[in-house]
Amino acid sequence: MKTVYDFSLTDAKGNEVSLSEYKGKVLLIVNTATGCGFTPQYNELEAMYRSMRADGFEIIDIPCNQFGNQAPGTDEEIAEFCRVNFATEFPQFKKSDVNGENELPLYTWLKSQKGFEGFDKENSLTPRLESMFDKADPDWRSKSDIKWNFTKFLIDRNGNVIARFEPTKEMSKVAALVKEALDTK
């Protein structure tokens, strides 16, 4: 059976990185964008990273420009934006596709492990997102595709996907589940 450790990514500097380098750690894999309404989540992501990194937590940041052209810069420009505006320290990888014919094999696997289960009903942006998707594709709810920027996958210490969070999920709830995964040995 495959785990996240069977995949490699290219980092923002063009180096191939095997995710097996993260064995034994809890990972949060997230597709990000610099010009999105959810971009302020970088603040909470960085706070989580700083507070839980010593416990074995890592964030895998994969910028993606597939949703509303909201990550238009180069890898270098995106990294600089994140450092300057959010003081990010977690690893950032090469801008990549998470859906479609050029999607990362990692994302093909992630989506096969945890499909779309709906947006968080308590988030004020949910009705707007649902309306937008209803107009574009009446069957969007039944597809496992990544719907928008800042979709997150939580990976346990054994490399298995244990949760998928849509961008509408309250970040404090994401942090609580990350903490729970870190406490599970």
Side-chain angles (χ1 to χ4, degrees):
M1 184 162 98
K2 279 192 174 190
T3 68
V4 76
Y5 309 131
D6 294 312
F7 298 93
S8 293
L9 293 172
T10 303
D11 70 15
K13 295 179 180 168
N15 302 307
E16 185 86 3
V17 177
S18 171
L19 295 183
S20 66
E21 291 182 23
Y22 294 97
K23 276 189 177 175
K25 297 188 181 268
V26 170
L27 305 177
L28 192 67
I29 301 173
V30 55
N31 64 298
T32 60
T34 53
C36 176
F38 294 106
T39 299
Q41 287 186 9
Y42 269 120
N43 284 320
E44 289 103 337
L45 289 167
E46 183 59 27
M48 286 171 46
Y49 186 65
R50 290 182 186 197
S51 71
M52 295 187 251
R53 183 178 185 192
D55 298 324
F57 176 58
E58 290 290 339
I59 292 174
I60 306 292
D61 176 1
I62 303 172
C64 179
N65 197 37
Q66 287 187 288
F67 308 100
N69 195 36
Q70 295 179 342
T74 65
D75 291 324
E76 187 176 285
E77 290 167 337
I78 291 168
E80 180 69 12
F81 172 88
C82 293
R83 278 192 302 276
V84 168
N85 293 289
F86 300 101
T88 57
E89 295 178 3
F90 48 80
Q92 191 170 71
F93 290 81
K94 180 178 175 48
K95 182 167 61 173
S96 301
D97 286 354
V98 298
N99 289 328
E101 66 182 53
N102 296 318
E103 74 186 29
L104 291 172
L106 170 64
Y107 268 86
T108 304
W109 178 77
L110 290 169
K111 294 183 295 186
S112 76
Q113 300 300 296
K114 288 285 181 188
F116 178 72
E117 296 177 3
F119 292 116
D120 191 341
K121 296 297 180 191
E122 291 138 28
N123 189 297
S124 63
L125 292 174
T126 292
R128 196 161 73 184
L129 287 168
E130 288 177 342
S131 175
M132 179 176 70
F133 292 124
D134 283 340
K135 289 175 186 163
D137 178 5
D139 297 324
W140 67 273
R141 285 176 180 83
S142 65
K143 297 176 181 172
S144 67
D145 283 353
I146 303 303
K147 306 301 182 212
W148 206 252
N149 305 306
F150 289 88
T151 299
K152 300 158 203 72
F153 290 88
L154 182 58
I155 312 296
D156 69 14
R157 293 182 187 272
N158 297 312
N160 302 304
V161 179
I162 56 174
R164 174 176 168 162
F165 307 106
E166 300 308 322
T168 54
K169 187 72 162 179
E170 190 177 310
M171 288 299 292
S172 63
K173 293 177 181 176
V174 174
L177 288 169
V178 169
K179 178 86 172 95
E180 189 177 302
L182 286 166
D183 291 344
T184 303
K185 298 288 178 183

